[in-house]
Amino acid sequence: MPSQPKINTKRYWRKNLQTLLILLFFWFLVSFEFGILWVEELNQIRLGGFKLGFWFAQQGSIYAFVVLIFIYVYRMNRLDKEFDVNEE
């Protein structure tokens, strides 16, 4: 059984955590800030007949979460290939 090449685990995990923190920031921004704190300001704008603050609280945050999942998968696949730890 061939041994896998040694990777720089500290760099790998630093980039992994950096990705997570950036995505968590956007998750917080969309769910808490847009859906709760800035809802009155966003309600001045309409999207498809609905107030934007209401839209973010009800549907926009769900769409943002799904997009964040796809971004995470894409970024982690690139990171795994960069450090040669991919499963392919």
Side-chain angles (χ1 to χ4, degrees):
M1 186 161 115
S3 63
Q4 290 187 353
K6 176 104 171 111
I7 64 167
N8 188 341
T9 54
K10 286 186 180 185
R11 279 186 57 231
Y12 176 78
W13 283 107
R14 188 179 316 120
K15 286 189 173 189
N16 186 347
L17 290 176
Q18 180 183 15
T19 299
L20 284 175
L21 289 175
I22 291 169
L23 294 177
L24 283 173
F25 168 77
F26 282 107
W27 169 77
F28 177 78
L29 181 71
V30 169
S31 65
F32 189 71
E33 302 286 330
F34 289 174
I36 297 172
L37 293 181
W38 297 337
V39 70
E40 293 302 322
E41 291 83 2
L42 290 173
N43 278 339
Q44 305 303 317
I45 304 168
R46 294 206 172 258
L47 179 68
F50 296 100
K51 296 177 180 179
L52 189 58
F54 173 78
W55 185 84
F56 265 111
Q58 299 301 313
Q59 295 174 344
S61 58
I62 295 170
Y63 292 143
F65 298 152
V66 171
V67 169
L68 289 176
I69 290 169
F70 283 107
I71 291 171
Y72 177 76
V73 168
Y74 174 76
R75 176 70 179 130
M76 288 309 299
N77 283 336
R78 282 187 48 215
L79 192 61
D80 288 349
K81 287 179 184 176
E82 178 182 336
F83 286 90
D84 198 27
V85 293
N86 56 330
E87 297 176 0
E88 296 174 0

